[in-house]
Amino acid sequence: DDFSNATITLIYPSGETNNPYAEGLAHYVEHLAWQNVRDAGTDGGRHSNAWTSSYATAYWLSRPPSEVTETMQRLAATADPLVATEAEALQERDIVQREYDYRVAEESLEPLWSETRTALYSGTPFERSIIGTRESIEGFTLEQAQNLHQGSHHLDQATMLVRGPL
C-alpha cells in the first residue's frame, strides 16, 4: 500500500445474482463501465481497478489527497451510459474470454468449485458463475450489457468509501 494516497472505492449493490441475462454478463458490464473512467482521464489505461461478485460491483482508484474530489467524479462516470462502440465491446468480450481461459479453463480446481457451487446453491442465483461460461461469453452483446448497466449502476444506490491520509 502507498500510504501517501487516498483510495476511493465506488460500490454498486448489484452483481451476478441481479443479472437476468447470460451468465457472467455483470462481469462484462464491469469491463465496459470501466471504459467510462478510462476515457475520463489520461491514466486509466487498459487495466481495470474493478471487481464483480455475486452481489456487488466495485471500482476504485488511488490518488493523492488533493485529487479526491476529481477521483470521485471520475468513478461516478461508471454510472454514465456505456461509451463503448460495438468494436470496443467485441474487443472487451475477447478480453473476458481470455480471462475465463486463464482463471477457469486452466484452473485445475475449477471443476470442484463448480460442483460445490451447484451442491450448495442449486436453483438459486448464487449458482451462477460470476465470469460466465465459454458459451455465455460468446453470446454477450453490447445491447444486453447496456440494458443491465442501466438497471444496475445507479449512484443513488451506491456506496463510496474513501480511505487514506485526508
Side-chain angles (χ1 to χ4, degrees), residues 119-159:
L120 293 174
Y121 303 117
S122 183
T124 74
F126 290 101
E127 183 180 9
R128 296 172 62 98
S129 167
I130 292 166
I131 197 167
T133 65
R134 182 170 273 111
E135 296 76 24
S136 68
I137 294 167
E138 290 173 3
F140 291 167
T141 68
L142 179 57
E143 181 181 2
Q144 288 175 340
Q146 289 168 328
N147 289 338
L148 182 58
H149 178 265
Q150 185 178 8
S152 64
H153 283 59
H154 297 279
L155 290 176
D156 62 345
Q157 297 172 354
T159 299

